[in-house]
Structure formats: C-alpha cells, structure tokens
Amino acid sequence: MIGNVFNIQRFSTSDGPGIRTVVFLKGCPLSCIWCHNPESKSVYPEIFYNSEKCINCKKCEILCNNNQHIFDNNEHIFLKDNCEKCMKCAIECPTNALESCGKNITVDEVMDEILRDAEFYEQSSGGITLSGGEPLMQYDFALNLLKKSKEAKINTAVETSGYCYKKLNEISQYVDLWLYDIKLFSESEHIKYTGVSNKKILENLFFLDRTGAKIILRCPIITDINFNKNHFNEIANLANKLKNIVAIHFEPYHPLGIDKSIRLGKTQKYQNREFLTADSIAPFVESIKDKVHTTIEIL
Amino acid sequence: MLQYKKKLKKEFTMLRIKKLRKEALENIIYYDEFFYKFYKNYMANTVASKEDRYAEAFYYAFSNLTPAISEGELIVGKSIRNFSPTENDEWLNKYMAIAMEEAAKTGGGQNSHMAIDYDLVLHCGLNGIIEKIDTYMSNCEESKKAFYRTCKKCLEAVIVLSERYADEAEKLAEASTDPYRCEELKKISKICKKVPANPAESFHEAIQSVSFITYCLSMNPHRYCYQQFQLGHPDRYLLPFYLKDIKNNVITKEYAQLLLDCLGIQINNRVPNGLSSGYMIGGRDEDNNVVANELTDMCMQVVDDIKLVYPSVGLCYTKEMDDAYLKKACEILSHGRSHPAIFNDDIITKGLKSYGVPEKEAHNYIHSTCVEITPVASSNVWVASPYTNMAQLLLDVLDREYTDLDELLSTLFANLDAKIKNNFELQNDMRKVRNENSINPLLSCFVNDCLERGKDIEQGGAKYNWIMPSFVGMANLVDSLYALKHIVFDTKELTIKEFKAILDNNFEDNELFRQHLLNSIPKYGNDIDEIDSLFGKITEHIISECKKYKGLHTNGNIIPSVFCWVKHEYFGRETGATPDGRKAGFPLGDGSGPCQGREMKGPTASILSSTKWAHHELIGGVAVNMKFSKKSLGKHSLDTMRSLIKTYIERGGFEMQINVIDKETLEKATENPEDYKDLVVRIGGYSDYFVKLSPEMQQEVILRTEHSI
C-alpha cells in the first residue's frame, strides 16, 4: 500500500509523550491562514526553492523539460506554473536549494524507518505519531500504519484536525492518543479562517470521546484571530464536556511558516511576523485553570 | 530567627564561593618557585648520588616553598602567583633554563593522567607510609635502598610543607581582624599540622589531605609541564568521614557541600585551562555493589555551584543506580554546564577485564582526564600516546588507482599498521629513556606496586604500564571512504587521480562538486548501516593490531582510543581537503561521534550510528558529544535527555557528553551555517533547521533563546 509522505521526523518530543517518530502525511482539506506546514496542503509532491542557497550552477535549467528555471542576470527564478513535478531538478541540485517535498512510499518502508527507534520509544514511553497535513485524508494508509505499529507493540498517536467524513470507529481501535486540533468555535469564523465548517470536527471529537479514546486538545492561539478571553472560556467548556480528555495544549502562534511558504513559492495568508509568547497567553491560561479538570500545557 | 540565620549563612557561603571563584578564574598558575628552588639546590649538589641529589633538592624546595593561602579559602595548598627570587631575574632565567634542560634529559612521553591511592593517604597518613617503607628497607636488597630513601625524603618534604602552611595559617589568624576568619584559620592550621602526615579523622581533614597531596604531586622536577592528576572516586573514600561527622553533628550537610566546593575550586588553582582534572562518582565497588550515596549527589552539585571549567566530573552509570542521580546530572547539564559526562560502568568494566584487570580492580577506574580509562592506584599508563591523524592517513593512500574499496582499505590498513608499529616503537623508546633517566619517588609511594617491589614508577614499579594511542578524525575517514566508494567505484564519476587533484586544489572551481559531496552522499551519524559498519571495521582492525605489541614493564598492553582532546582542530589545520567535502584547514570531527553538522536525522539516529560498533575494548577512550539547543528545552526535556542517555548506555555506548547550547552558539551558527546544519529549532509541532531560516527569523529565535528556561 502506497501513501504520500513529506517527512518522517525522528526524535520528536512535542507531538505526543516521550521520544516519537512523526510521520507527516501529505494532503489537508483545511486551508488555515496561519498554517505552519504549507507543504502539507497539497496531496501532490512539491518543490521547495531556497534562493539563498542557489549557486547558479544552472543544472536545473538544463534538466527541466518545461523551462521552469530561468536565470536572469544571475538571479534564479523558478516559475512553477508549468512544473510537472518530475523532481529531476530537486534530485540533482547540489546545494539542496531545490528540495522535493512529498514522496510516494509504502507502508513497509515507513515501518522500516519507524522501527529503528524502537528502543528509544520503550525507554521514554514514546512511540509514533501520524501528522501532516491531515493524516485521516489518506485513511487506508494511516490505518495500515497504525495497525502495523500496534502489532509491533508501539504506542500510537494521531494529530488531526478532526475533519474527516469517514467513520472513525475502525481506526480508533489502533490509536492510543488523539492530538485533536481545536481552532475556533463560531462556525462562520471557522469557515472564514480555515475554509471548512467545524460541525464535523466537533461531531468526531465527541464520537471518539465516547469510544473511550484518550484525547489531548491542541489549541493554536493566533494573535488577531482567536487570542481573546472568550475563546479560552469556550475551550474550558469543551474540555469539561469530554470524559477522556488527558490534557489541553496551547500552541502560541509563531511566524516560522511564513518563510516556508516563500520557499514553496506561496504566500502565507496570515502575515503577522511577531511571535506570540508563552508569557502573553499565560494569564489567559491562568484564568481557566481552576475551571478545567485536566492538565494544561503551553508548548 | 533560625531561618534568618540560615539565610545569612547561605548568603555568606555564596559570597565566599563567589570570591574564590573569581580568584580561580583570574589565576595564572606557575610552578616556577618549585623548579627554581629544586634546581638551585640540585645543581649545587655535586657529590651525592643521583637519587640523593633529587631527594635533597626536593626536600629543600618544599622546605622553602612560599605557602599561599587566600582570603576565604578553607582547603589550602597552591603555588604563589608571582614568584620573584631574592636573587635577580637573571638567576631565575638561568635556573628555569636548567630546569627545562634537565627535564628534557629525563625523556619525553606522557605524565600524570591517573588517580593515586587516596585510601592509603587517608588511613595511613604519610608517617604510616614511612613506617611501611622502613619495614621494606630493613628487608630489601641493597640496590633498592636508594629508592626507598628517596621516597622517605619526599614524604618528609610534604610533611614539612604542610607544616609551613600550618604556620602561615596561624600567622594569618593572628593578624586577622575578623574573629570568624580567625577561627577558620586556626582550624586550618591545626588540620595542616595533622594531615597528610597522619591519618585523617574528620571530613575536613580528609579533603585537606587529598587536596594537599595532589597539589604536591603537581610539582615534578622531571616533567616541565602541568601535571593532571584526578581525584579518584571521592564518593567512596570520603564517605566514611562524611557519615561519621554528620552522625556526630560535627558538620552540617551545607558545610560539607561548601568544603567539596572548595576542593573543586582548588583544582582550578592547580591545573590551568585547556587541560583536565576532576573525579568520578557512582559505579560499583569491588564487591560489585552499586555506589550511589549522598556524596555522589554532592560531588555532582559542585559543578553547578562553582561553575568553573573543573572539576571534570564523570558519572559512572549503571542501570541499577537510582534514577535520581541521572536526573540530577541532566538537570545540571540543562543549566549549560559541560559536566557531568556519563560513563557506562558495565562496558568499561567489561573492557578492563578483557585486558587482564581482575574483577575487584576493574570497578575502581578513573577517566584520567577526559575519557581515557586507567585503574586507580596502580597505573603508569601513557594515555593519548600519540594522536594519529586518520584523515591524513587516507589522503596519503590516494596516490594511485584501486580496483575497488576493499583494495583501497587494504592499503590503508597496511599504512595504518605501519603507523601503529612506528608510534609504538617511538613511545616504547621514550619509556626506555625514562626508565634510564627519570624517577618520581613521591608518586611511587601512592601507586601499587612500587613500594612493594622497591621500584620507582618510572622504572616500572606500577602494575599497569599501558600505552594508549588515539585515533583522530574517524568520522571524516569513514565519510571520506564512503564518498570515494560512491564517486570512484560505484558511479565511476572520477578516478582517484582526478578526485585528488580537486582536493589538492581545495575544491577551487569545484564548489558544486563539494556541495554534492556534502549534501547528496550519506554521512556517518544518520543510522545508515553501511557507513556505520565501516566505522566498526576500522576500530576492530585498530584494536586487534594494537594487541600485537607489548611495551616495557609489566602489563605493557597497547590499548587504543578514539577521542581527540583538541587535536581535531590542530590536525584539521594541517590537513588538506578531504573526500567527505571538508575544506583544507577545517577542524576534523571531534571525538568519536559524527562530524559537525552532519547529524541530519536527530539524536536517535546519531546514537544508533555511534553504538553499532563495540566500544568496550577502546579503553583508551571513546567520546561522543551530543548538543542540544537550550531554546528547545521544555518541560519534558530532562526526561527526554535521560531516555537518550539510557538507550545509549543500553546499546553499549562508552561515554556521552551533553552540551546544552546557548545564544552564543546560535550566533555562531548565523555566521557559519555550514557547521551548524543539524541544529534544529523546535516549537510544539513544528520544526525547521535553524540555518534554513531567514536572517530575521534567526534573530528572533536567538532573542527567544535569551528568555527561555
């Protein structure tokens, strides 16, 4: 079985407990304007271009069948409008100024990589995490990875937006922990800033809670969008409705996705270049601490 | 009131440490006074035998050394800062020149890098040892009498010096206007009168005894260079004194910590920067019981209290040790301290036994300065003798074509073998010269089996006389071999001659190719079996080749190591461009880990790479450095650090040194991104390589580093 993966990141410590390997699946049905993994949106392979690394060797110009690489006065412009994603330029680029993002890979190949760190998972109570993009968008691939991981006695976690129209009862059997994104509560706002409604997202959340699945609410706090007292209160209310919630994680906004977008030839819609500090959101977290019955962490 | 008193006491303690710390940081260490006075007497004495001349000069020097006691010191014994003889400078220069000449005559080769028998000092005292010597002397052959006589005289010299310190302390006490300090100085005087001449009874006496004798050993007229003695395992030999004093309310835990801090600071007044001196804690005792007690904890705490370059603390870790000790080590490391380093007790013990060290002795070893392992109280081991540049070794065989990598390796090994043989012969020749011309009677008193055999340590009186050559640049070698395999033998892009020509030109006009080498060809440290096994192939060869040789004296095994001290920079400067993409003059990889900036898959992959080959026979030392960004440290980071260490140990890793990097390193990364390619910035759910960020983002991250933790 083949899936499209854009990264297998070993030694991840912020995507679930312990030392984990995170498998980033390509493709996401949402279009959050603050997305820090813009390379995960499209299900197809893409190319990163970091102009600062280009040494004008012009190998890419020679290799490209569609003249997508132009050199004008020693400035390398990557057109991309007619790129057939053959990846030849990325493979041959000597400095990795051009880098491919996303490749087709089998379940077994992913498992081979995952199993290498098994001793670390055991020592640290870690495991694997599926993330992306939206891992549930490649439902069968994700299901297979999780099944095989459980067979190998590895702890599993899934980071998800929750936006999935497939039934989650089968897959949830193989998931030890859900890292569930909660972005906005008002449906209109949710559509405005992420491109989709949150109805299905909340439906799935309560479904998983009923199955007894362990859940951590992952709450990105974005400065001009949901950074207000009301939002924190709504999170607290939601948390209290869940029987199997394990923690709430707050993720203050960081602008590092902006650079990534540039390297993809895209523009992040949300252009705020200021980090939102843990200190700024701390008072809001404090205000709900006594209201919730679970641990809170600011990542 | 008690709380207030406690607070006042704590502040007073911190002030004292602050003052002593400052002095240690500014201190420039000279042993000039000793050399001057020793050789002044030595050269004037034209009648006595060689040994007696030495003994008398030693006694004279010690009897006339200026005691140096600084304000606030509790543990005393160090050289004065500015020595100026009563004669004019011309005489000083004259005797210093003589000192160097005489020292040179006694032969080259290694020195110190060991720990003596502190139990002997603490439980017998020097007078007790003198008694033993008298017994030996009454029963021995005539030829050995000179040795014993010299030993006795040197011990007496130490006692005289300690009494000079006692007198000085008394004098300072009388002149002191601070009643509290006056009491302290009187106590110090009393202690110096008692130890190390007599057995120690209190914790304070024990520490003073250990520190003082180690200071005295630093003054070796035959070795005109700084001596690097290690303080063994203080959580073993100091424990009975500590427990007794605590039980009898003679001392508080806080005061005991202060004394240990003073001991730590004093090391910095004995050994200058750029070298290494410290101690080890933990491990197992001779009955195979785990050593883990209050002192283990407190000796680690010294590192965090005094924040100086020494002591170099090694934690001997075993699985059975309570987690609290490793937790504490990680906590201290997370503060940015570079110690403790973690040593694998099981692997080291296994290795020592494989070289013939009996079970009981195999548990009592020391890191000698950094990672070179020698048995405590019985070693005359020459560590890091010499260093071999493995990258250069490869460059030297690129003078012709080969049919495949195996053939190239064959030639490389043949050259390596010749080098090992040649180096061994050079070291052994130096052993022979030292055997003829050098003595170290004071040291011989504390190293088994010198007194028993009636043989000076330089004449082979010690039990273990290993020589440990060190092989530097292993990661560059492995990466380079792999690159050659790919470019020359697999894809046949270039011949060796063509490749070498590019290297000789330092990649000029071939930056493209160099980038290809750096970025497209896999490197050691990324959990790639093919490359990792190459590393093991080479170390196995080195180990077995070294076994062919035996040096002078008993147990003259040749035992290799793959650590480098600062030689990776030193050799790097004189090594041309290498096939792994490294430019001429750049440092080689440090220690036995992957090269700088090449761990692209994170610490788990790096640890896996480093532990696919057997470490235990490299008793000469294996050093693996892991660096973490301070910015990345969060709530669970210490747990993660512990998990990494434990897995490394479980997989047979020999030693690990962890560095938590601060802002300065990130700044350097902005200037030299190539050397920091693997530095990762992580923020919940997101990660990117620091060097990939735009300049402004990098600045932001650096700023954030300032505020975190």
Side-chain angles (χ1 to χ4, degrees):
Chain A
M1 159 153 302
I2 294 183
N4 200 297
V5 165
F6 67 92
N7 196 6
I8 299 177
Q9 182 179 282
R10 290 160 78 166
F11 190 68
S12 303
T13 50
S14 333
D15 302 279
I19 294 173
R20 308 188 81 80
T21 295
V22 182
V23 184
F24 291 88
L25 274 62
K26 216 165 185 302
C28 183
L30 277 66
S31 311
C32 309
I33 66 168
W34 58 77
C35 179
H36 64 202
N37 284 336
E39 71 274 34
S40 68
K41 168 75 184 150
S42 162
V43 299
Y44 302 112
E46 289 170 278
I47 301 177
F48 272 120
Y49 169 50
N50 188 348
S51 59
E52 275 166 36
K53 283 191 146 188
C54 180
I55 56 172
N56 288 302
C57 71
K58 299 193 182 164
K59 257 192 177 177
C60 49
E61 191 184 44
I62 299 167
L63 287 164
C64 186
N65 288 333
N66 301 339
N67 299 317
Q68 295 297 288
H69 294 281
I70 312 278
F71 285 83
D72 180 23
N73 259 347
N74 262 349
E75 199 194 315
H76 173 190
I77 302 164
F78 182 20
L79 294 171
K80 274 193 163 184
D81 53 357
N82 210 10
C83 172
E84 59 179 62
K85 311 238 167 66
C86 68
M87 296 302 165
K88 274 193 236 167
C89 59
I91 294 168
E92 290 302 319
C93 178
T95 61
N96 285 340
L98 291 163
E99 257 183 299
S100 68
C101 171
K103 76 173 194 182
N104 289 330
I105 191 171
T106 65
V107 167
D108 286 335
E109 282 170 319
V110 177
M111 288 314 297
D112 275 341
E113 180 107 16
I114 283 175
L115 287 167
R116 286 182 162 263
D117 280 354
E119 288 155 280
F120 295 94
Y121 308 148
E122 211 193 308
Q123 193 66 255
S124 67
S125 302
I128 68 129
T129 302
L130 298 189
S131 181
E134 173 49 65
L136 299 179
M137 212 166 145
Q138 296 185 54
Y139 186 91
D140 291 326
F141 185 64
L143 177 61
N144 263 279
L145 284 176
L146 293 165
K147 263 190 184 167
K148 290 238 154 138
S149 299
K150 290 319 293 175
E151 270 164 41
K153 298 203 169 44
I154 295 176
N155 180 283
T156 56
V158 174
E159 253 173 348
T160 181
S161 65
Y163 190 79
C164 175
Y165 276 83
K166 278 221 160 96
K167 287 236 185 295
L168 299 180
N169 48 353
E170 194 189 359
I171 202 169
S172 65
Q173 290 173 64
Y174 304 99
V175 180
D176 294 310
L177 175 68
W178 291 94
L179 300 157
Y180 209 95
D181 285 349
I182 293 294
K183 295 161 171 135
L184 290 150
F185 288 92
S186 136
E187 193 185 355
S188 59
E189 287 206 325
H190 204 278
I191 295 174
K192 180 179 179 190
Y193 293 114
T194 75
V196 305
S197 153
N198 60 347
K199 262 205 182 127
K200 197 54 167 162
I201 292 172
L202 291 169
E203 215 179 277
N204 282 333
L205 176 60
F206 285 113
F207 171 80
L208 288 175
D209 190 50
R210 282 196 300 276
T211 65
K214 284 212 184 106
I215 297 168
I216 294 182
L217 291 184
R218 299 269 276 198
C219 306
I221 304 297
I222 315 298
T223 317
D224 309 304
I225 296 171
N226 63 7
F227 184 31
N228 57 66
K229 198 161 184 200
N230 192 41
H231 184 66
F232 283 84
N233 284 332
E234 298 245 44
I235 290 170
N237 292 339
L238 177 61
N240 287 336
K241 289 182 192 155
L242 299 168
K243 290 198 189 61
N244 292 296
I245 185 170
V246 166
I248 305 173
H249 287 175
F250 287 104
E251 300 168 298
Y253 171 74
H254 66 77
L256 301 177
I258 297 180
D259 275 355
K260 253 202 204 174
S261 291
I262 295 172
R263 292 194 333 249
L264 261 185
K266 299 187 176 153
T267 311
Q268 183 172 296
K269 289 209 188 92
Y270 184 62
Q271 281 288 312
N272 186 351
R273 282 182 174 266
E274 297 251 338
F275 281 84
L276 186 58
T277 62
D279 286 341
S280 346
I281 73 168
F284 291 82
V285 171
E286 267 308 301
S287 71
I288 61 162
K289 234 187 185 151
D290 295 328
K291 293 191 209 167
V292 298
H293 316 300
T294 189
T295 37
I296 302 182
E297 248 183 76
I298 305 175
L299 293 186
Chain B
M1 187 57 186
L2 193 64
Q3 285 290 73
Y4 176 69
K5 262 191 169 171
K6 263 191 170 176
K7 182 173 176 239
L8 212 61
K9 215 174 188 182
K10 189 165 185 200
E11 278 168 12
F12 189 60
T13 302
M14 286 172 74
L15 267 169
R16 185 202 299 264
I17 292 181
K18 194 172 174 191
K19 195 196 294 199
L20 292 175
R21 234 192 126 241
K22 183 162 188 272
E23 197 203 350
L25 278 168
E26 292 165 5
N27 202 10
I28 302 169
I29 299 167
Y30 290 116
Y31 288 106
D32 288 11
E33 191 186 16
F34 169 74
F35 281 105
Y36 177 80
K37 289 184 174 165
F38 178 95
Y39 279 103
K40 185 171 170 208
N41 181 286
Y42 187 83
M43 299 311 286
N45 187 347
T46 47
V47 284
S49 70
K50 201 168 77 176
E51 290 92 347
D52 286 334
R53 269 178 96 187
Y54 182 109
E56 282 166 37
F58 198 89
Y59 189 89
Y60 173 81
F62 271 44
S63 306
N64 289 284
L65 270 180
T66 313
I69 299 179
S70 299
E71 185 60 47
E73 267 187 350
L74 292 172
I75 303 297
V76 300
K78 66 184 185 214
S79 295
I80 52 166
R81 269 197 179 197
N82 299 309
F83 168 60
S84 198
T86 48
E87 298 97 342
N88 58 32
D89 275 337
E90 192 194 313
W91 284 88
L92 176 61
N93 289 336
K94 175 181 171 184
Y95 281 113
M96 294 319 281
I98 289 172
M100 280 168 71
E101 220 179 282
E102 287 301 308
K105 274 190 209 162
T106 62
Q110 195 53 281
N111 64 77
S112 53
H113 287 83
M114 65 166 86
I116 62 166
D117 190 348
Y118 288 108
D119 283 312
L120 182 65
V121 178
L122 292 172
H123 298 292
C124 288
L126 302 194
N127 284 329
I129 302 174
I130 289 173
E131 269 173 45
K132 281 189 205 255
I133 290 176
D134 283 334
T135 314
Y136 284 128
M137 263 179 99
S138 59
N139 296 323
C140 77
E141 310 125 49
E142 200 54 45
S143 58
K144 296 194 176 176
K145 293 212 156 106
F147 164 68
Y148 284 123
R149 233 181 12 249
T150 320
C151 288
K152 251 180 92 168
K153 195 79 179 172
C154 289
L155 290 171
E156 284 162 6
V158 172
I159 296 173
V160 165
L161 182 59
S162 194
E163 277 165 5
R164 284 173 73 73
Y165 270 85
D167 292 341
E168 175 70 9
E170 186 66 46
K171 216 170 72 185
L172 289 170
E174 268 155 36
S176 177
T177 51
D178 174 359
Y180 194 66
R181 183 59 181 162
C182 178
E183 275 308 301
E184 283 185 352
L185 287 163
K186 285 205 157 106
K187 188 172 176 197
I188 289 169
S189 178
K190 220 171 144 203
I191 291 176
C192 288
K193 275 205 170 68
K194 184 169 172 192
V195 297
N198 300 299
E201 284 177 294
S202 73
F203 188 63
H204 193 158
E205 285 166 12
I207 293 184
Q208 173 61 30
S209 187
V210 163
S211 185
F212 197 80
I213 191 64
T214 314
Y215 163 58
C216 291
L217 288 169
S218 304
M219 293 176 278
N220 180 346
H222 283 184
R223 306 254 71 77
Y224 193 74
C225 56
Y226 295 103
Q227 303 294 287
Q228 296 170 77
F229 285 97
Q230 313 304 308
L231 295 179
H233 289 255
D235 63 341
R236 293 182 199 191
Y237 59 72
L238 289 178
L239 189 66
F241 302 98
Y242 173 75
L243 292 175
K244 194 178 94 179
D245 276 7
I246 290 284
K247 184 167 176 225
N248 297 331
N249 283 319
V250 170
I251 207 175
T252 62
K253 186 172 176 190
E254 288 74 29
Y255 195 75
Q257 182 68 60
L258 175 59
L259 287 174
L260 287 170
D261 289 348
C262 287
L263 176 67
I265 292 175
Q266 202 64 319
I267 298 175
N268 294 274
N269 287 327
R270 177 169 34 89
V271 184
N273 295 353
L275 302 175
S276 182
S277 184
Y279 46 74
M280 289 189 114
I281 51 180
R284 291 173 189 278
D285 64 19
E286 61 173 31
D287 298 317
N288 217 6
N289 296 317
V290 173
V291 175
N293 54 60
E294 258 184 284
L295 283 188
T296 313
D297 194 286
M298 290 160 75
C299 287
M300 251 196 284
Q301 185 59 38
V302 170
V303 173
D304 220 17
D305 280 354
I306 72 176
K307 301 191 255 290
L308 292 170
V309 66
Y310 307 132
S312 323
V313 179
L315 172 63
C316 304
Y317 179 77
T318 60
K319 209 163 59 179
E320 287 78 19
M321 199 176 209
D322 192 298
D323 236 14
Y325 296 96
L326 190 60
K327 268 192 189 154
K328 188 180 179 84
C330 289
E331 207 186 299
I332 294 175
L333 291 165
S334 74
H335 297 165
R337 310 278 95 80
S338 58
H339 285 92
I342 316 293
F343 287 80
N344 189 335
D345 189 67
D346 290 336
I347 287 293
I348 291 173
T349 311
K350 181 177 176 188
L352 286 169
K353 286 198 266 202
S354 81
Y355 285 108
V357 179
E359 169 77 37
K360 283 189 187 273
E361 287 171 62
H363 292 290
N364 196 14
Y365 55 83
I366 189 71
H367 57 12
S368 309
T369 42
C370 306
V371 296
E372 324 83 85
I373 300 296
T374 64
V376 168
S378 49
S379 294
N380 179 31
V381 176
W382 284 12
V383 314
S385 296
Y387 291 98
T388 297
N389 182 345
M390 296 302 275
Q392 187 60 51
L393 213 68
L394 176 64
L395 291 178
D396 290 342
V397 306
L398 298 183
D399 55 354
R400 65 170 178 93
E401 301 301 326
Y402 298 92
T403 38
D404 54 24
L405 186 70
D406 281 333
E407 206 200 338
L408 195 159
L409 267 175
S410 236
T411 309
L412 183 72
F413 280 159
N415 285 17
L416 176 62
D417 294 349
K419 192 111 195 153
I420 289 174
K421 177 166 192 253
N422 190 42
N423 284 338
F424 159 70
E425 282 165 0
L426 287 169
Q427 292 294 320
N428 209 32
D429 285 343
M430 285 196 281
R431 275 266 201 231
K432 290 176 189 161
V433 173
R434 293 268 285 270
N435 187 43
E436 289 297 305
N437 299 299
S438 184
I439 56 174
N440 197 341
L442 182 63
L443 180 58
S444 302
C445 297
F446 310 107
V447 178
N448 299 321
D449 297 311
C450 297
L451 289 182
E452 212 177 81
R453 293 184 192 174
K455 237 189 200 186
D456 191 283
I457 194 172
E458 296 284 343
Q459 274 77 63
K463 214 169 161 188
Y464 300 102
N465 295 278
W466 302 335
I467 297 176
M468 294 173 154
S470 201
F471 298 86
V472 182
M474 284 291 296
N476 296 89
L477 171 60
V478 166
D479 285 345
S480 295
L481 283 168
Y482 201 74
L484 285 165
K485 175 180 182 292
H486 185 83
I487 303 281
V488 177
F489 302 116
D490 290 346
T491 62
K492 300 203 194 328
E493 265 173 70
L494 295 171
T495 61
I496 300 256
K497 188 172 178 189
E498 287 164 342
F499 205 141
K500 188 75 185 359
I502 294 174
L503 296 176
D504 289 340
N505 242 349
N506 198 17
F507 292 106
E508 209 175 297
D509 298 326
N510 271 297
E511 183 59 18
L512 201 69
F513 178 60
R514 192 175 86 87
Q515 289 297 329
H516 177 64
L517 290 172
L518 285 174
N519 300 316
S520 310
I521 300 187
K523 299 282 181 285
Y524 176 69
N526 293 289
D527 189 22
I528 297 164
D529 296 337
E530 206 185 345
I531 306 179
D532 300 341
S533 65
L534 203 50
F535 200 109
K537 194 170 179 174
I538 300 171
T539 52
E540 267 165 43
H541 184 96
I542 291 174
I543 291 165
S544 68
E545 189 63 23
C546 287
K547 284 188 178 158
K548 292 182 182 165
Y549 302 97
K550 271 276 161 72
L552 202 60
H553 310 318
T554 50
N555 295 316
N557 306 58
I558 311 305
I559 302 178
S561 65
V562 283
F563 89 105
C564 66
W565 181 41
V566 296
K567 292 295 184 182
H568 59 298
E569 281 196 70
Y570 183 84
F571 280 153
R573 265 183 266 138
E574 50 184 47
T575 308
T578 38
D580 57 351
R582 179 194 140 274
K583 273 196 159 177
F586 268 54
L588 302 178
D590 74 285
S592 29
C595 287
Q596 307 87 329
R598 295 182 190 176
E599 290 162 74
M600 305 308 286
K601 284 201 167 168
T604 57
S606 179
I607 285 172
L608 289 172
S609 283
S610 291
T611 48
K612 282 184 206 163
W613 43 280
H615 291 201
H616 67 282
E617 286 183 293
L618 290 157
I619 287 294
V622 177
V624 169
N625 273 315
M626 296 231 81
K627 304 180 242 311
F628 295 101
S629 144
K630 201 163 192 185
K631 207 240 137 287
S632 72
L633 288 190
K635 185 175 166 192
H636 304 289
S637 298
L638 296 189
D639 293 332
T640 306
M641 210 186 270
R642 261 199 347 273
S643 297
L644 287 173
I645 294 171
K646 283 182 177 178
T647 310
Y648 174 78
I649 296 283
E650 200 102 327
R651 285 180 58 86
F654 187 104
E655 184 264 11
M656 181 182 278
Q657 198 131 2
I658 292 185
N659 306 115
V660 172
I661 307 164
D662 57 19
K663 177 183 140 180
E664 277 74 52
T665 309
L666 293 179
E667 316 248 52
K668 281 191 207 148
T670 61
E671 285 153 43
N672 300 301
E674 213 169 65
D675 296 341
Y676 293 91
K677 267 199 301 211
D678 53 354
L679 189 61
V680 178
V681 172
R682 292 177 190 273
I683 308 165
Y686 171 91
S687 68
D688 205 347
Y689 289 107
F690 178 81
V691 296
K692 280 191 178 175
L693 303 178
S694 68
E696 308 112 48
M697 285 307 173
Q698 286 181 340
Q699 285 311 307
E700 289 276 30
V701 175
I702 288 173
L703 263 168
R704 280 166 68 76
T705 303
E706 273 239 299
H707 296 292
S708 59
I709 308 286

